[in-house]
Amino acid sequence: VFNTFLFYLLWFCLLLTLHKISNKKRIITIIITIFTLFQISINSYNYSGKIFFGKPSFKQFTSTAQFNEIKNIINVENARIGCIGFFPAVANYNGFRTIGSFSSYYPLSFKQKFHEIIKNELNKSIELKKYFNNKGSALFLFDDEIGRNYTNQQINVVETITCELKIIELNKLGTTHIFSTAEILNADEIGLSLILSQVKNKDNYYRLFVYKIVNNDLSGQLFNE
């Protein structure tokens, strides 16, 4: 948490010392100003510029038209979505409530419930298990075959997966649908029914399979907000 702050503090002290011991204050002031502007530019690009100039583009990443197609067959107000293979924030941006998120504030009891849902997948990947345990904000429906690199959907594409998430536990938390970037081979066995499949094209950045949880009698008992 403090590494970044300490790095900048050290850098600031270095520039201040350089200015103090130099005999040519004007030249050093110009150099320090250039260094500072250069650092600000790097930070701005990393935190904002990549959104507009990097890949995927903001339009691709959010894929509003693609999610609008899904809205035609799903009642958004009554749905809660589980996202596999892409960031839940994308679904949130398009108006869907999700069971997972990248969140820094939630009850520990919920993390424990979430762990129960994904633990079979975590047990198959040491990397994912460490990431979930050490990264408190990452509440994602991990799959060991997909991993955790969701940013670029054009590379490392996984076509099919065997899902070992606990769908019943997801159901208890109000989840009604699963959106997955890979086809779930054992969907019927775990209680999922495919209602829509989308292919990638110029309008669709994601390859999405939309599943409905078949037996959702318990849906919404814990989350009705």
Side-chain angles (χ1 to χ4, degrees), residues 14-214:
L14 178 64
L15 294 180
L16 199 62
T17 302
L18 180 63
H19 185 272
K20 184 176 180 180
I21 65 176
S22 174
N23 295 324
K24 298 180 179 180
K25 303 292 186 184
R26 184 174 181 180
I27 295 177
I28 292 300
T29 300
I30 294 174
I31 293 175
I32 290 176
T33 302
I34 292 173
F35 280 170
T36 303
L37 291 175
F38 182 67
Q39 185 65 57
I40 291 173
S41 298
I42 292 176
N43 291 354
S44 298
Y45 175 74
N46 285 332
Y47 287 97
S48 301
K50 288 182 179 179
I51 295 177
F52 299 100
F53 305 109
K55 293 182 179 180
S57 67
F58 182 78
K59 182 178 180 180
Q60 288 176 316
F61 187 74
T62 54
S63 291
T64 300
Q66 183 174 3
F67 280 86
N68 282 340
E69 180 185 348
I70 300 175
K71 288 180 181 179
N72 291 331
I73 61 173
I74 292 179
N75 187 334
V76 176
E77 293 183 0
N78 297 329
R80 185 178 290 276
I81 310 304
C83 304
I84 300 176
F86 70 103
F87 293 108
V90 175
N92 296 151
Y93 180 85
N94 286 287
F96 289 94
R97 294 181 302 160
T98 59
I99 190 64
S101 67
F102 192 86
S103 176
S104 59
Y105 184 75
Y106 58 89
L108 176 60
S109 58
F110 183 71
K111 184 179 179 71
Q112 293 167 343
K113 289 184 176 72
F114 205 86
H115 177 266
E116 184 65 23
I117 292 168
I118 66 175
K119 70 177 183 180
N120 290 338
E121 293 291 344
L122 296 182
N123 289 336
K124 294 188 291 184
S125 171
I126 295 176
E127 178 191 0
L128 291 180
K129 192 170 187 176
K130 287 182 177 179
Y131 184 69
F132 178 77
N133 290 337
N134 298 328
K135 187 82 172 181
S137 52
L139 290 173
F140 299 150
L141 295 180
F142 291 115
D143 178 86
D144 72 301
E145 297 173 80
I146 295 176
R148 62 184 181 89
N149 184 13
Y150 302 155
T151 303
N152 194 336
Q153 295 287 327
Q154 305 299 327
I155 60 175
N156 299 326
V157 177
V158 177
E159 299 287 338
T160 61
I161 60 173
T162 300
C163 179
E164 294 192 28
L165 299 175
K166 294 191 176 182
I167 302 301
I168 292 178
E169 297 302 320
L170 273 172
N171 197 208
K172 289 179 181 179
L173 294 180
T175 310
T176 59
H177 296 79
I178 298 291
F179 293 2
S180 175
T181 57
E183 183 180 4
I184 300 176
L185 296 178
N186 60 332
D188 292 338
E189 299 173 21
I190 60 177
L192 299 178
S193 175
L194 181 65
I195 60 175
L196 177 68
S197 61
Q198 296 176 323
V199 297
K200 288 183 180 180
N201 53 40
K202 64 179 182 179
D203 298 318
N204 295 346
Y205 176 66
Y206 300 93
R207 177 175 178 256
L208 284 182
F209 294 85
V210 179
Y211 295 91
K212 180 179 176 60
I213 296 180
V214 178

